Amino acid sequence: MTGTDIEGVIIKELRSLSNGTVEVKSDTNIVRDLNLPSLDVMDLVMALEDHFDVSIPLDRIAEIETVQELADLVRSLNTEVDV
Amino acid sequence: MGIMDKFKELGSSYDDIKFAGRDPFSVRFDQILSPTEGMIAGKKTILLGTNNYLGLTFDKHSVEQAVSALRENGTGTTGSRIANGSYGWHQRLEEELAQFFGRRHAMTFTTGYQANLGIIATLAGRDDHLVIDADSHACIYDACKLTSAPVTRFKHNDPVDLRKRLSRLKSIGGNIIVVTEGIFSMLGDKAPLKEIVAVTKEYGAYLVVDEAHSMGVLGANGRGLAEELGVEDDVDFILGTFSKSLGAIGGFCVSNIDDFDLLRVACRPYMFTASLPCSVVASVVTSLPKVKNGQFLREKLMSNAQRLYDGLLSAGFDVGPDVSPVVAIQLPSTEIAVAFWNALLDEGLYVNLALPPATPTNQPLLRSSVSAAHTHKQIDTVIDLITKVNLDLGAVTPERIARAG
């Protein structure tokens, strides 16, 4: 799966979490721009784990700010699993 | 930007709650009359939010032993057990706790929070992996911040979801530690522990169960959910507290694992805090046999829990999935919950107000905890008061709950 595909899934999940009130792009800051509570972010991680069948440890999320960074993380975790 | 500016939003939400009446986060009891009654602002009030499940806080024998230990050992230990040494009472409590649970080892902590924080964070090393229930108590989440291990959540009380997440960790190496709770503190629901044990064993993972709200409450001998379901041998570490059924303060871990005592020199929340004063320990030691032989108290407790649960359910409230001593009413908004909570206090009933994000369903809760010491008459009064306040406020109709849920 390409980075763009992963971003697309993340954007779709984030749109539903923010009820479509904010435009979500690859450089959107997930916590600051969307004002998401940390619980929502953790639930987003669970949904992405299921979508991509990968384990995303919570400590790796702490350093993530933008949609693109999250997509990069999911892609790198996918690769780690493949290896 | 000032150092406190980051709390402005929190402060503003807190102000909104305080302006609606009393401050629910700093209620002052002027006098505690019994395990079920207290004086608040000159009014005799039924206490229904104390976690005092067996009503042992005023047990005559425990109070006497605590007073005697206080006179003999002084007001505090003034240091940690690692740096300043242990007292005989500490060792006695650990021996008797191990015996109570039928385990080889026990270790006590100054609070239940520290027991969970310390054991979970220390057991999980850098190369291990923690897998926790998504609705875990804050102390388990704080352990996840303290640990050097990666952390994954599984869907609340969902063994199928746990299996899916464990299967993704199969190839990563290291030990996997699954964490769940006996009775969950907010809604009073129980973990499907048999199924969780089966999945955990299938993947060769370790299992930690926090029995804070289930010790003394469940099981023929009060050992908690693992005893009730007959799976104690498959739970590697039991965590718990002295601040609920045992009516004091402190936390513990019991286990049969080899080399358990190494945790005493590895677990920072054990090593770097002052130990429990002997007066507290003496009251716990004295209350422990009353918990073990507390079948009558447990029957009374469950009868009260069932009475409150049924009464509220038939009044149209949404009260959570399982009957347990924790009975919570889900409400549609914070404004309604705060008004409801204030009105109940005006009527002489104290319950806990729990607000998101501290609630599992993202809805506010009026959380109550039943005691064996409540009389049926008190429980009936409670149901009447809650129903009356609900009518006065027009707060919750069954249709409204259905819409909010």
Side-chain angles (χ1 to χ4, degrees), chain A residues 6-16 24-26 67:
Chain A
I6 297 173
E7 266 183 33
V9 173
I10 295 171
I11 288 171
K12 200 172 146 218
E13 291 283 348
L14 282 172
R15 276 195 188 127
S16 76
V24 187
K25 297 180 296 186
S26 63
V67 169

Side-chain angles (χ1 to χ4, degrees), chain B residues 29 35-36 47-57 137 183-188 211-217 241-248 291 301 324-327 350-352 367-374:
Chain B
F29 302 102
T36 62
L47 305 179
L48 196 75
T50 60
N51 301 325
N52 193 357
Y53 297 124
L54 299 183
L56 292 177
T57 43
H137 189 269
I183 290 178
F184 284 81
S185 62
M186 282 290 133
L187 288 180
E211 300 263 24
H213 289 269
S214 38
M215 182 190 184
V217 171
T241 178
F242 307 137
S243 65
K244 298 181 168 64
S245 289
L246 283 153
V291 171
L301 172 66
S324 87
V326 176
V327 183
Y350 172 75
V351 297
N352 310 126
R367 176 198 179 272
S368 51
S369 52
V370 174
S371 172
H374 285 117

Side-chain angles (χ1 to χ4, degrees), chain B residues 27 29 40 45-50 341 344-345 348-352:
Chain B
V27 172
F29 302 102
I40 300 177
T45 302
I46 297 178
L47 305 179
L48 196 75
T50 60
W341 179 85
L344 287 177
L345 209 51
L349 173 61
Y350 172 75
V351 297
N352 310 126

Side-chain angles (χ1 to χ4, degrees), chain A residues 3 5 8-12 18 20 27 31-32 39 43 47 49-50 53 57-58 64 68-69 73-74 78:
Chain A
D5 293 338
V9 173
I10 295 171
I11 288 171
K12 200 172 146 218
S18 60
D27 62 349
V31 175
R32 210 174 304 145
L39 201 58
D43 287 345
E49 283 184 322
D50 288 343
D53 194 23
L58 292 181
I64 298 295
Q68 194 187 338
E69 286 168 10
L73 172 65
V74 172
N78 254 324

Side-chain angles (χ1 to χ4, degrees), chain B residues 41-367:
Chain B
K43 189 172 177 68
K44 195 187 251 194
T45 302
I46 297 178
L47 305 179
L48 196 75
T50 60
N51 301 325
N52 193 357
Y53 297 124
L54 299 183
L56 292 177
T57 43
F58 286 86
D59 180 86
K60 198 167 166 269
H61 192 202
S62 297
V63 169
E64 278 167 7
Q65 290 294 104
V67 169
S68 158
L70 178 66
R71 290 195 193 285
E72 284 168 23
N73 297 277
T75 49
T77 65
T78 64
S80 87
R81 292 175 64 184
I82 295 300
N84 299 44
S86 293
Y87 287 55
W89 276 110
H90 294 128
Q91 278 164 356
R92 183 171 163 196
L93 175 57
E94 286 175 346
E95 283 162 20
E96 297 198 8
L97 255 184
Q99 205 176 11
F100 176 92
F101 279 98
R103 304 244 174 184
R104 280 160 50 210
H105 311 289
M107 181 172 165
T108 56
F109 291 77
T110 307
T111 66
Y113 172 92
Q114 286 166 322
N116 275 8
L117 183 76
I119 291 294
I120 295 167
T122 309
L123 281 176
R126 189 173 302 280
D127 297 326
D128 302 322
H129 205 109
L130 268 176
V131 183
I132 67 165
D133 186 287
D135 286 359
S136 288
H137 189 269
C139 61
I140 296 173
Y141 274 102
D142 288 356
C144 294
K145 286 187 181 173
L146 189 63
T147 181
S148 43
V151 180
T152 305
R153 299 155 79 229
F154 67 94
K155 285 184 185 155
H156 175 55
N157 276 353
D158 188 340
V160 175
D161 190 76
L162 173 62
R163 170 179 278 117
K164 195 164 61 182
R165 283 166 213 285
L166 289 180
S167 75
R168 291 184 191 131
L169 299 173
K170 244 185 343 197
S171 55
I172 62 158
N175 296 295
I176 296 172
I177 301 147
V178 175
V179 183
T180 189
E181 302 178 24
I183 290 178
F184 284 81
S185 62
M186 282 290 133
L187 288 180
D189 48 336
K190 299 176 199 170
L193 202 52
K194 261 189 181 169
E195 293 78 5
I196 285 176
V197 159
V199 176
T200 304
K201 295 297 139 190
E202 184 185 330
Y203 284 89
Y206 290 89
L207 181 58
V208 177
V209 179
D210 175 14
E211 300 263 24
H213 289 269
S214 38
M215 182 190 184
V217 171
L218 301 177
N221 299 287
R223 296 201 295 266
L225 184 64
E227 185 194 10
E228 181 175 271
L229 298 178
V231 294
E232 286 176 289
D233 289 347
D234 295 316
V235 178
D236 301 287
F237 299 89
I238 298 263
L239 294 165
T241 178
F242 307 137
S243 65
K244 298 181 168 64
S245 289
L246 283 153
I249 186 170
F252 68 87
C253 175
V254 294
S255 177
N256 278 330
I257 201 104
D258 290 341
D259 299 326
F260 179 85
D261 282 332
L262 284 174
L263 289 170
R264 294 183 196 273
V265 287
C267 180
R268 299 169 66 87
Y270 173 84
M271 297 162 69
F272 297 105
T273 194
S275 59
L276 285 170
C278 290
S279 50
V280 169
V281 179
S283 85
V284 175
V285 165
T286 313
S287 292
L288 203 54
K290 293 169 198 204
V291 171
K292 183 177 165 62
N293 303 315
Q295 291 88 345
F296 172 71
L297 290 177
R298 275 187 279 286
E299 277 169 28
K300 206 155 168 270
L301 172 66
M302 290 317 288
S303 150
N304 282 342
Q306 186 80 51
R307 198 175 183 93
L308 180 62
Y309 187 91
D310 290 346
L312 293 176
L313 195 66
S314 58
F317 292 103
D318 187 356
V319 281
D322 294 329
V323 179
S324 87
V326 176
V327 183
I329 299 174
Q330 305 200 48
L331 292 171
S333 74
T334 295
E335 291 73 25
I336 289 174
V338 170
F340 210 125
W341 179 85
N342 272 290
L344 287 177
L345 209 51
D346 291 341
E347 295 284 345
L349 173 61
Y350 172 75
V351 297
N352 310 126
L353 175 68
L355 300 175
T359 60
T361 54
N362 230 16
Q363 276 179 270
L365 297 174
L366 287 181
R367 176 198 179 272

